[in-house]
Amino acid sequence: MPDSSPTSPSVRYTPVSARIRERIQKAQQRFHANDNISAFIEAGELEALLDEVEGKMKGVLESLVIDTSSDHNTQDTARRVAKMYLTEVFRGRYVQQPPVTEFPNAEHLNELMIVGPITVRSACSHHFCPIMGRLWIGIMPNEHSNLIGLSKYARLAEWVMSRPQIQEEAIAQVANLLMDKVSPDGLAVVMEADHFCMHWRGVKDNDSKMINSVMRGSFLKDASLRREFLSLINLKP
């Protein structure tokens, strides 16, 4: 009878990334760079994924002809990079949405509220170069809106931005999330960011920034409200 123990050569090891990917595909869900896949990661698998990414990162360093054996600066680089991606830079892909306490709008507040600038950090999904910027959020609540704590806007934005992103899609994701959480009459999101895929490589232009906005509800329909919001965050309409 052939040996079928876990250490037997006859048993093929399935990488944890393949197991996670299989669950996602079975559920017919996306796993694009800026998607959150935490629902498909089981207990202990994130640690196993860290080991897997470390091993593959070692292969990348070898292909770059970097001596990780005798170079004291790069001996632990593969582990550091794997940990950075999974637990910091791309953390928003692998962990669940942060808890957000919602409060009823007991006083029926219906005046413009602005949160920002919120410092945001991400990495472009084209080159994995840093994106560093600021985010402003404008809210027009109504009597049915759910109010959330001030710090929660920053936490939700960080959760979305901590994934490989392009700026246009990132602020749309932030807007969709806040519309779902707060249910306001109107929502405005503006982001201004430096893209190191332009600063560090390519044209190497250190002065260029990207500014874009998403307007929903009353901010989209009411030009005077939109101008008020933009003037208060000191950006021209």
Side-chain angles (χ1 to χ4, degrees):
M1 179 179 294
D3 184 1
S4 59
S5 66
T7 58
S8 169
S10 63
V11 176
R12 182 181 176 185
Y13 171 72
T14 303
V16 64
S17 62
R19 299 199 298 270
I20 296 169
R21 188 180 299 108
E22 183 179 357
R23 290 184 206 119
I24 298 172
Q25 291 173 330
K26 186 176 181 180
Q28 297 183 331
Q29 296 296 310
R30 281 188 2 172
F31 53 104
H32 289 184
N34 60 0
D35 288 329
N36 178 274
I37 60 170
S38 62
F40 303 97
I41 300 175
E42 297 181 353
E45 287 188 332
L46 200 55
E47 292 78 7
L49 194 59
L50 177 59
D51 293 336
E52 182 183 333
V53 174
E54 177 188 3
K56 292 185 176 180
M57 191 63 209
K58 286 180 179 177
V60 171
L61 295 172
E62 289 173 2
S63 294
L64 291 171
V65 198
I66 294 175
D67 183 357
T68 59
S69 298
S70 59
D71 181 357
H72 62 282
N73 288 317
T74 58
Q75 285 177 351
D76 297 318
T77 294
R79 185 72 178 182
R80 293 190 198 102
V81 172
K83 187 176 181 181
M84 177 188 72
Y85 281 138
L86 289 174
T87 67
E88 296 175 305
V89 180
F90 299 157
R91 176 178 170 82
R93 275 181 59 73
Y94 305 106
V95 299
Q96 295 181 358
Q97 178 186 305
V100 175
T101 303
E102 301 172 12
F103 306 95
N105 187 4
E107 297 299 324
H108 296 177
L109 301 175
N110 62 354
E111 300 291 340
L112 173 62
M113 302 188 306
I114 298 176
V115 182
I118 298 169
T119 300
V120 290
R121 304 169 184 85
S122 189
C124 86
S125 48
H126 297 152
H127 296 96
F128 283 8
C129 288
I131 299 172
M132 311 290 286
R134 301 181 297 167
L135 191 74
W136 291 265
I137 298 167
I139 299 280
M140 278 295 292
N142 59 52
E143 61 183 284
H144 304 295
S145 294
N146 296 317
L147 304 180
I148 63 176
L150 187 62
S151 67
K152 301 306 186 290
Y153 290 97
R155 291 187 185 278
L156 291 173
E158 180 188 28
W159 182 65
V160 170
M161 297 303 300
S162 296
R163 308 169 194 174
Q165 288 281 12
I166 64 168
Q167 186 170 331
E168 304 94 310
E169 293 180 357
I171 72 164
Q173 285 186 325
V174 171
N176 291 340
L177 181 59
L178 291 176
M179 285 295 291
D180 181 61
K181 288 290 177 188
V182 183
S183 300
D185 277 345
L187 175 75
V189 183
V190 171
M191 181 174 168
E192 175 191 68
D194 292 296
H195 289 248
F196 281 71
C197 57
M198 288 186 67
H199 298 344
W200 194 21
R201 57 161 300 279
V203 297
K204 297 182 180 177
D205 183 345
N206 291 328
D207 297 323
S208 293
K209 295 180 183 292
M210 181 176 179
I211 302 172
N212 66 325
S213 66
V214 171
M215 303 289 169
R216 302 277 173 83
S218 55
F219 284 95
L220 186 62
K221 299 173 185 176
D222 187 339
S224 62
L225 176 62
R226 187 163 61 250
R227 283 194 297 269
E228 179 184 2
F229 169 71
L230 294 174
S231 67
L232 288 171
I233 66 173
N234 294 318
L235 290 175
K236 293 181 180 180

